[in-house]
Amino acid sequence: MNLDIGAPYAVPRDTLLPDSDEDVLQTQHQCLPRQRKIIHVDMDAFYASVEQRDNPDLRGKPVAVGGSRERGVVAAASYEARKFGVRSAMPSVTARRQCPDLIFVKPRFEVYKAVSQQIREIFAEHTPIIEPLSLDEAYLDVTENLQNIPLARDVALAIRAKIKEVTGLNASAGISYNKFLAKLASDHRKPNGQYVITPETGPAFVEALPVGKFHGIGPATSAKMNSLGLHTGRDMRSQTLEFMQANFGKAGAYYYWISRGVDNREVRANRIRKSVGAENTFSSDLTEFDAVAAELQPLIDKVWRHCEDKGSRGRTVTLKVKFNDFEIITRSRSVPVAVASRGDLERLSIALLQNEMPLPKPVRLSGVSLSSLQGDDKRNRNLASRFEGSVSSGFQETGGARFLGDENGALGLLRIFRTRFCDTGIAFVPDLRDRKPPAVLDRHDAEREA
């Protein structure tokens, strides 16, 4: 289907007060955005597929990339493993219980990164407007594509075919007129498929969708919506903006608009990193202050080493603690000026831990993050100065690698919490707070498996 149909957005009558027909045309031209063509490309079971590609003995078998040890976590699962209910971020013990024949493979992040670069180069053959979300996922704006292919559907087909030719891997794609719907569409025909949501079919597609299937709505928010009688997009759409904001705060406006198929966020090629962090799962649970504080030291080293390498500094330090019953708490402290040294980062982190003593339960994981990042360039400093206040962060345990997400990263969080994001053990969060409609997620939603 050709998305370039020029269907106008509806403009409320009371927003147009023209004095003449010419004024009507001019006002409509200013108010109606150009119809966009957005593709969301998502590699199918990326890590596991790379391992099966490189090792023929793994093909057709249930494979999990991640640690097989008692406290390991699945980073990615092949489709053969998914048939048994194995999913990313699942504890390895649980995965093994659900699939006794599961084969665990240690992650090879350098290989995944190299393949990701090959895929990125294929994207660049069609458009310079590429917004990577992870090593295996990206948005592309192909409204004006470099190959002059008129149909966005055909652009997606060409990209998927080239990826298969170059890497031997399958990709799925969603095509629509905004990012939210393109993301939904890419999941609709997985694996190795694509789907188009046009302006004519978008509202109906969203109306029939269960709220738990909306990207940006996790189990906690979904349960709350259900308790309010909101089970589908149609139920959400029937509510007023005031109702949604009263019950869901800032996120209410985002839910209000996506239930109408409206998402005005642009595909942004240069996203600003706003947070960096590290975490670690202990080999055995810890209860004493000194033991937990000692485990924070290498995490602080990792975070500060990145800050030194990138020339970035942050103002908000966040401590994360996961107890042995998997309850998670985060504690943050913001300072007026950027943290200037590794020693300052350590002192703030340890102070946050000290405030939680005595610990109510044994601890299985700890993490440290630095957010409200400010880079060396003037643009980053100006942007950072616009956003004040403390930032709570959530983490996702990932076996060998450690990842962190900044909750104010909104939609960017959804994939940052997936272990597939990073090749270095450090994950970054884009700043989406200047996008409209706004999107704010809580930690429980962020930890939802995408």
Side-chain angles (χ1 to χ4, degrees):
M1 297 180 184
N2 188 349
L3 287 178
D4 191 16
I5 59 176
Y9 285 61
V11 180
R13 289 181 180 274
D14 58 4
T15 64
L16 300 177
L17 299 173
D19 295 324
S20 66
D21 290 341
E22 183 177 349
D23 289 338
V24 170
L25 293 175
Q26 179 65 25
T27 305
Q28 289 178 333
H29 177 73
Q30 293 173 349
C31 294
L32 302 181
R34 181 182 183 184
Q35 188 67 66
R36 295 182 296 164
K37 302 178 187 180
I38 308 299
I39 299 175
H40 177 261
V41 179
D42 193 2
M43 300 301 295
D44 297 330
F46 183 52
Y47 289 2
S49 295
V50 171
E51 297 302 333
Q52 290 178 318
R53 180 197 69 176
D54 294 348
N55 185 350
D57 292 340
L58 297 177
R59 295 173 190 171
K61 298 178 181 179
V63 174
V65 177
S68 60
R69 57 193 173 87
E70 181 180 353
R71 290 179 175 242
V73 174
V74 175
S78 68
Y79 281 97
E80 294 85 357
R82 295 184 187 190
K83 293 177 181 178
F84 293 88
V86 179
R87 295 288 185 270
S88 63
M90 176 180 285
S92 298
V93 172
T94 304
R96 178 83 74 183
R97 187 183 306 121
Q98 295 191 192
C99 181
D101 295 327
L102 187 64
I103 302 171
F104 281 91
V105 179
K106 292 183 179 180
R108 298 181 298 153
F109 290 113
E110 287 304 316
V111 175
Y112 309 148
K113 183 178 180 181
V115 177
S116 178
Q117 183 58 39
Q118 290 179 299
I119 296 169
R120 201 74 54 83
E121 290 170 359
I122 294 171
F123 293 160
E125 294 174 3
H126 294 269
T127 177
I129 310 176
I130 304 165
E131 181 179 332
L133 301 179
S134 64
L135 290 178
D136 67 334
E137 178 187 14
Y139 287 113
L140 287 69
D141 188 327
V142 297
T143 307
E144 295 181 356
N145 65 87
L146 299 177
Q147 305 292 337
N148 295 318
I149 301 174
L151 303 182
R153 174 201 64 193
D154 293 338
V155 177
L157 286 171
I159 288 173
R160 292 175 53 232
K162 186 66 174 292
I163 289 174
K164 182 68 172 181
E165 175 188 348
V166 172
T167 70
L169 303 173
N170 292 326
S172 295
I175 305 98
S176 195
Y177 54 96
N178 64 44
K179 291 168 70 173
F180 171 72
L181 291 174
K183 172 73 171 174
L184 289 178
S186 68
D187 282 343
H188 202 60
R189 291 283 170 83
K190 266 186 167 291
N192 196 27
Q194 66 180 55
Y195 190 73
V196 179
I197 300 177
T198 67
E200 291 82 7
T201 62
F205 187 92
V206 173
E207 280 187 0
L209 202 67
V211 295
K213 296 291 186 179
F214 279 65
H215 291 284
I217 297 179
T221 302
S222 178
K224 181 176 180 179
M225 287 187 172
N226 291 166
S227 70
L228 294 171
L230 308 180
H231 299 278
T232 66
R234 182 179 296 105
D235 296 331
M236 270 201 289
R237 186 168 183 170
S238 67
Q239 304 303 319
T240 64
L241 177 60
E242 290 73 21
F243 173 88
M244 297 300 291
Q245 289 179 320
N247 286 281
F248 302 100
K250 294 179 180 179
Y254 170 69
Y255 303 147
Y256 175 86
W257 287 111
I258 62 172
S259 70
R260 289 156 173 77
V262 177
D263 179 5
N264 294 327
R265 292 173 300 145
E266 296 179 356
V267 176
R268 301 176 64 181
N270 298 303
R271 300 187 303 165
I272 301 167
R273 294 170 177 174
K274 297 300 292 180
S275 176
V276 60
E279 64 177 38
N280 183 42
T281 302
F282 312 138
S283 58
S284 59
D285 296 338
L286 303 179
T287 57
E288 300 299 324
F289 170 80
D290 289 343
V292 179
E295 290 289 345
L296 290 180
Q297 298 303 320
L299 306 182
I300 294 169
D301 286 340
K302 181 181 288 187
V303 171
W304 192 252
R305 184 164 57 249
H306 173 80
C307 290
E308 289 283 272
D309 291 344
K310 300 299 181 181
S312 59
R313 297 292 184 267
R315 296 186 301 104
T316 300
V317 177
T318 299
L319 170 74
K320 178 214 177 166
V321 172
K322 178 185 285 187
F323 296 109
N324 63 343
D325 61 358
F326 289 87
E327 178 190 0
I328 296 174
I329 63 170
T330 57
R331 299 292 184 262
S332 300
R333 181 180 176 185
S334 294
V335 291
V337 295
V339 176
S341 68
R342 192 248 182 231
D344 289 343
L345 177 60
E346 178 183 1
R347 282 188 288 275
L348 289 166
S349 302
I350 298 301
L352 289 170
L353 176 62
Q354 183 68 63
N355 290 339
E356 299 306 310
M357 301 303 295
L359 294 167
K361 290 171 287 190
V363 177
R364 65 174 281 123
L365 174 151
S366 66
V368 173
S369 72
L370 188 62
S371 54
S372 301
L373 294 183
Q374 305 174 42
D376 287 338
D377 59 283
K378 181 179 180 181
R379 179 171 179 265
N380 279 359
R381 290 197 299 271
N382 289 341
L383 282 168
S385 67
R386 290 166 50 195
F387 304 114
E388 303 289 329
S390 178
V391 178
S392 291
S393 295
F395 295 66
Q396 174 62 56
E397 180 179 349
T398 61
R402 289 68 166 135
F403 301 85
L404 174 142
D406 173 352
E407 287 187 52
N408 287 345
L411 290 181
L413 259 179
L414 289 175
R415 296 307 287 258
I416 288 164
F417 277 89
R418 297 185 65 174
T419 57
R420 303 196 308 194
F421 188 174
C422 271
D423 59 301
T424 60
I426 298 178
F428 305 100
V429 178
D431 180 16
L432 306 183
R433 283 169 285 188
D434 58 338
R435 299 185 180 188
K436 297 179 180 180
V440 178
L441 308 176
D442 60 31
R443 171 175 54 79
H444 298 290
D445 289 337
E447 291 182 346
R448 171 176 177 261
E449 180 186 353

